[in-house]
Amino acid sequence: MADSLKDKLDQVLLNVQKPARYIGGELNSVIKDKQDVDIRFAFCFPDTYEVGMSHLGMKILYSLLNDRDDVWCERVFAPWLDFEEQMKKHNIPLYGLESLEPLSEFDIIGFTLQYELSFTNILNMLKLGNVPLLCSERKGLKNLVVAGGPCACNPEPLVDFIDLFMLGEGEEVMHELMDLYKASVKANDTKETFLQKASQIGGVYVPSLYDVTYNEDGTIKEIIAKENAPLPVQKRIIKDFDSVYYPEKFIVPFIGTVHDRAIVEVLRGCIRGCRFCQAGFLYRPFREKNSDTLIKNGKSLCETTGYEEISLSSLSTSDYSQLESLLTEFIDYTNDNQVNLTLPSLRVDNFSEELLEKIASVRKSGLTFAPEAGTQRLRDVINKNVLESDVLNSCTIAFAGGYTSVKLYFMLGLPTETLDDIKGIIELAQKVVNAYYEMENRPKGKGVQVTVSVSTFVPKPFTPFQYEPQDTLEMIDEKQKHLVQSVTSKKINVKYHDSKTSVLEAVFARGDRRLGKVMLKAYQDGCYFDSWDECFHYGKWMKAFEECGIDPAFYANRKRSYEEVLPWSHLDYGVSERFLQNEHQKAVASTTTKNCRLQCSACGANKLLGGACFEY
Ligand code: SF4
């Protein structure tokens, strides 16, 4: 099969953009003999090769699975439209990049759920791989479809299609699942028996073992666990993060990808508690690696890949407790080896002059800050503990260091937002412009450019704003107009995105099981690659909702009471509902919460560690 497919590929790849997306064979990709393994695992990223190949979680789990002698893990990405057309024309099924064998040949098909707008790509990939879409149509253990990643925190819209979900961090649970699968195949277990056994693994959620009933108003009445399935299902974390598995090699793509460099993962979790940020709550509690471990990880990756760039990855790298010593050591290494260091996710309030100097000595690129809201009142609502003076000081330091452009990120539609808050975005940008011109030693003959980049707020599960309605499309359109009309200077450039995709994101983020039929209908009508502007069909989506008798506003624009059973109420990510409700009340009162390093706010996530998160 692989040979005949290879022959076909040789012909058709000449007709598509970027054929390197579809051929495999990159440095450090893993080839095994299928006869020598017990489990063939397809790691599927429901987006293009360039997006998927940039994803750290995929790199980690690909290596972790392939380090086992009994598993061969391959990569599968969503083919772009031109190649899909060729695949259909030449009868080529979607295949694993290592063996070039069809998806239907794999034992386990695993998807990573990074964003809601990739959900329909899952359906398209299964279809192109000749794998039945519905769990009920896949009878045996072959083609078991599993998923993990941040959107697994509310997987309910996907339960018609995915047999089980892994909640939280995958490095341990993945091994346990492989061991069970192998044993179940040997024991000739039915799929139902396997799934019941899998539900007993910590962090594994098997939706078919839970019944959901509804009230007359459409809200959920009850979620009932069957066959001894756990209630709630608690996410998994790696307690000893310093010794967690980390790959020594990354696959080196033939073509440029979104992030094409060595990455070291500095820490997991976040101490900050920004109330809109789902990742900040989902990945709690905060854990970090020792700087020695990180240096070792970084050096090993550069040596095995030939990469000349290392980036430090986390939700907030500037909160890393050993940052100064890490940077010092890394800068010595990178200087000696002609390697660049990049440092994303900087917060403005601890952006010291010394730190900036260190970074500036290795790399000079555009600066980005994320005040998120234009007024102090609204920044307090969202618990973004950043003052206007922090933003201005950081920009002034950066300007003094030679930077002449700054990008500021904001959100529109945050809870309690008024038109004054929107005007405040531009006023803050203007103050940044003024700060540049007030500087005596500014670069001669150069102007400043401040880009205001605005996204639409989407309320997410497991955040204090999970109860809040999203603004309607009309409200967001009005606010965008108001923002643009408030601009006072040519030095300020406003960028925003069509908010229709945010509506869909809001629906699926807090959706329930009834949305599966809408997703299927929209997909059958041609909706996939929804996060790509050129492929997004809002009209088709709205038609699918209408035909299924489901009102998207029920999910996107409705306020939830604290008493409501939410579609994810049976899943436990460590953070308690009581804490989220308390934070929600504090938000409405514009009261802030201290970061975890200063004071524990008793969110509940420390139970996953079995002790306190920090010593105070
Ligand atoms: S238990 Fe306390 S310190 Fe730990 S994550 Fe929650 S609020 Fe932060």
Side-chain angles (χ1 to χ4, degrees):
M1 176 67 205
D3 278 347
S4 64
L5 180 59
K6 197 168 178 315
D7 292 342
K8 280 189 193 172
L9 284 179
D10 285 345
Q11 292 167 31
V12 303
L13 285 176
L14 295 173
N15 302 324
V16 301
Q17 303 166 23
K18 303 191 186 176
R21 286 167 165 170
Y22 310 112
I23 54 175
E26 309 95 319
L27 177 69
N28 298 331
S29 58
V30 178
I31 302 295
K32 297 189 180 185
D33 186 334
K34 64 181 178 185
Q35 310 302 339
D36 294 344
V37 297
D38 296 297
I39 303 172
R40 296 189 63 189
F41 191 106
F43 197 118
C44 303
F45 195 99
D47 211 316
T48 62
Y49 177 90
E50 292 93 315
V51 179
M53 281 296 289
S54 305
H55 181 242
L56 180 60
M58 183 177 208
K59 295 173 198 288
I60 294 174
L61 293 175
Y62 178 85
S63 287
L64 176 140
L65 285 168
N66 278 323
D67 277 2
R68 291 176 64 120
D69 289 339
D70 54 356
V71 179
W72 184 12
C73 176
E74 302 188 33
R75 296 158 300 148
V76 185
F77 300 97
W80 189 244
L81 308 179
D82 58 345
F83 186 51
E84 181 184 335
E85 197 186 318
Q86 295 291 326
M87 287 167 76
K88 286 179 176 161
K89 199 164 144 194
H90 295 274
N91 203 17
I92 297 172
L94 186 63
Y95 53 87
L97 280 183
E98 281 72 6
S99 67
L100 303 184
E101 292 202 339
L103 199 56
S104 55
E105 290 294 308
F106 286 78
D107 299 304
I108 306 182
I109 298 167
F111 286 92
T112 178
L113 309 174
Q114 295 298 313
Y115 26 88
E116 293 81 3
L117 295 185
S118 69
F119 287 176
T120 44
N121 278 16
I122 296 175
L123 306 194
N124 197 38
M125 289 171 76
L126 291 174
K127 178 96 178 152
L128 292 172
N130 296 331
V131 176
L133 297 190
L134 297 172
C135 302
S136 56
E137 295 170 337
R138 300 186 301 264
K139 300 292 181 197
L141 282 183
K142 186 106 182 166
N143 291 171
L144 183 81
V145 181
V146 307
C151 293
C153 76
N154 177 26
E156 293 303 287
L158 287 166
V159 302
D160 291 347
F161 317 105
I162 291 179
D163 297 304
L164 71 80
F165 296 87
M166 286 170 266
L167 311 186
E169 296 167 6
E171 287 95 341
E172 290 172 352
V173 66
M174 194 59 108
H175 280 305
E176 293 162 33
L177 192 69
M178 292 307 109
D179 293 343
L180 176 68
Y181 186 86
K182 200 167 123 179
S184 275
V185 170
K186 272 210 178 91
N188 234 345
D189 282 345
T190 61
K191 182 174 175 183
E192 289 66 33
T193 304
F194 166 78
L195 287 174
Q196 199 284 326
K197 288 179 182 172
S199 73
Q200 302 303 310
I201 297 175
V204 171
Y205 168 52
V206 177
S208 55
L209 298 180
Y210 298 80
D211 281 338
V212 181
T213 59
Y214 299 92
N215 296 309
E216 268 181 24
D217 64 1
T219 56
I220 293 174
K221 188 173 179 192
E222 209 179 352
I223 301 174
I224 306 154
K226 304 181 289 191
E227 296 177 42
N228 208 22
L231 191 69
V233 185
Q234 194 176 77
K235 77 159 179 179
R236 290 288 288 268
I237 65 155
I238 305 297
K239 284 189 189 170
D240 179 5
F241 184 56
D242 189 50
S243 59
V244 69
Y245 176 86
Y246 202 73
E248 289 177 359
K249 301 172 179 177
F250 283 177
I251 296 175
V252 184
F254 291 128
I255 51 170
T257 56
V258 179
H259 302 293
D260 191 8
R261 59 181 82 111
I263 305 169
V264 292
E265 190 185 15
V266 179
L267 57 89
R268 279 189 195 162
C270 183
I271 60 171
R272 297 284 163 177
C274 299
R275 293 180 179 128
F276 59 88
C277 176
Q278 189 184 41
F281 294 99
L282 280 189
Y283 298 136
R284 285 184 178 207
F286 181 87
R287 289 144 296 147
E288 19 177 64
K289 287 188 191 173
N290 283 321
S291 62
D292 293 347
T293 310
L294 295 170
I295 302 281
K296 192 175 108 238
N297 292 159
K299 284 182 182 172
S300 148
L301 284 172
C302 285
E303 279 157 22
T304 57
T305 58
Y307 274 133
E308 291 169 349
E309 188 176 355
I310 303 178
S311 79
L312 308 183
S313 161
S314 78
L315 290 176
S316 180
T317 299
S318 43
D319 286 325
Y320 178 56
S321 63
Q322 304 167 43
L323 188 61
E324 298 276 342
S325 66
L326 179 72
L327 283 181
T328 308
E329 270 204 62
F330 254 133
I331 288 168
D332 287 346
Y333 172 75
T334 51
N335 283 346
D336 291 348
N337 294 275
Q338 281 82 46
V339 173
N340 283 320
L341 182 67
T342 56
L343 187 67
S345 308
L346 286 171
R347 279 184 64 96
V348 290
D349 53 349
N350 53 4
F351 197 68
S352 73
E353 212 158 328
E354 293 83 350
L355 188 51
L356 189 86
E357 270 172 29
K358 284 204 170 94
I359 304 159
S361 72
V362 288
R363 187 181 165 88
K364 194 163 270 171
S365 62
L367 269 188
T368 59
F369 297 120
E372 310 288 1
T375 59
Q376 195 56 46
R377 184 200 70 79
L378 194 53
R379 283 196 293 275
D380 289 345
V381 168
I382 62 175
N383 203 41
K384 187 91 192 177
N385 283 299
V386 166
L387 302 171
E388 182 177 287
S389 55
D390 297 325
V391 178
L392 296 177
N393 286 343
S394 303
C395 289
T396 306
I397 294 171
F399 293 149
Y403 290 87
T404 55
S405 71
V406 180
K407 198 167 188 181
L408 302 175
Y409 284 100
F410 296 93
M411 270 182 285
L412 274 193
L414 285 164
T416 78
E417 183 183 60
T418 65
L419 292 183
D420 280 347
D421 297 308
I422 295 165
K423 206 165 145 220
I425 292 176
I426 300 301
E427 285 169 355
L428 181 56
Q430 184 62 51
K431 284 179 187 163
V432 173
V433 171
N434 297 347
Y436 180 83
Y437 288 106
E438 280 159 15
M439 232 179 38
E440 283 176 7
N441 55 344
R442 65 174 184 270
K444 293 277 165 289
K446 278 194 178 170
V448 68
Q449 194 54 245
V450 178
T451 303
V452 169
S453 181
V454 187
S455 60
T456 303
F457 168 66
V458 178
K460 296 273 176 131
F462 296 104
T463 70
F465 294 151
Q466 65 179 0
Y467 310 101
E468 285 287 333
Q470 187 187 44
D471 276 355
T472 62
L473 212 47
E474 294 71 29
M475 288 159 84
I476 290 291
D477 285 349
E478 276 304 307
K479 288 180 174 182
Q480 285 175 343
K481 271 189 209 131
H482 185 68
L483 180 74
V484 172
Q485 284 161 2
S486 305
V487 173
T488 44
S489 159
K490 281 195 177 131
K491 307 285 174 200
I492 300 171
N493 174 23
V494 176
K495 283 190 180 159
Y496 58 86
H497 200 254
D498 184 1
S499 44
K500 290 193 181 93
T501 50
S502 308
V503 173
L504 206 62
E505 203 185 322
V507 170
F508 283 102
R510 293 186 295 172
D512 58 37
R513 295 184 170 198
R514 292 168 294 189
L515 290 178
K517 60 182 176 187
V518 182
M519 202 185 305
L520 186 59
K521 179 90 197 84
Y523 164 63
Q524 287 165 341
D525 285 349
C527 293
Y528 54 101
F529 274 122
D530 296 303
S531 62
W532 293 74
D533 287 348
E534 59 269 55
C535 302
F536 182 62
H537 306 294
Y538 188 67
K540 284 186 184 173
W541 270 105
M542 291 305 117
K543 189 167 150 269
F545 278 108
E546 206 183 320
E547 285 175 12
C548 294
I550 286 184
D551 179 6
F554 175 83
Y555 297 97
N557 311 119
R558 184 173 59 87
K559 192 168 181 67
R560 278 76 164 163
S561 76
Y562 292 159
E563 287 71 44
E564 184 171 332
V565 179
L566 300 168
W568 54 93
S569 288
H570 55 316
L571 309 181
D572 176 5
Y573 270 67
V575 176
S576 71
E577 270 199 55
R578 197 163 54 99
F579 169 78
L580 293 177
Q581 290 165 6
N582 191 31
E583 280 294 294
H584 181 240
Q585 284 163 2
K586 286 173 83 177
V588 174
S590 307
T591 312
T592 58
T593 296
K594 287 201 169 79
N595 80 53
C596 295
R597 206 171 252 147
L598 293 175
Q599 183 186 312
C600 173
S601 313
C603 77
N606 63 317
K607 73 181 175 201
L608 301 166
L609 286 175
C613 299
F614 293 95
E615 287 172 14
Y616 295 100

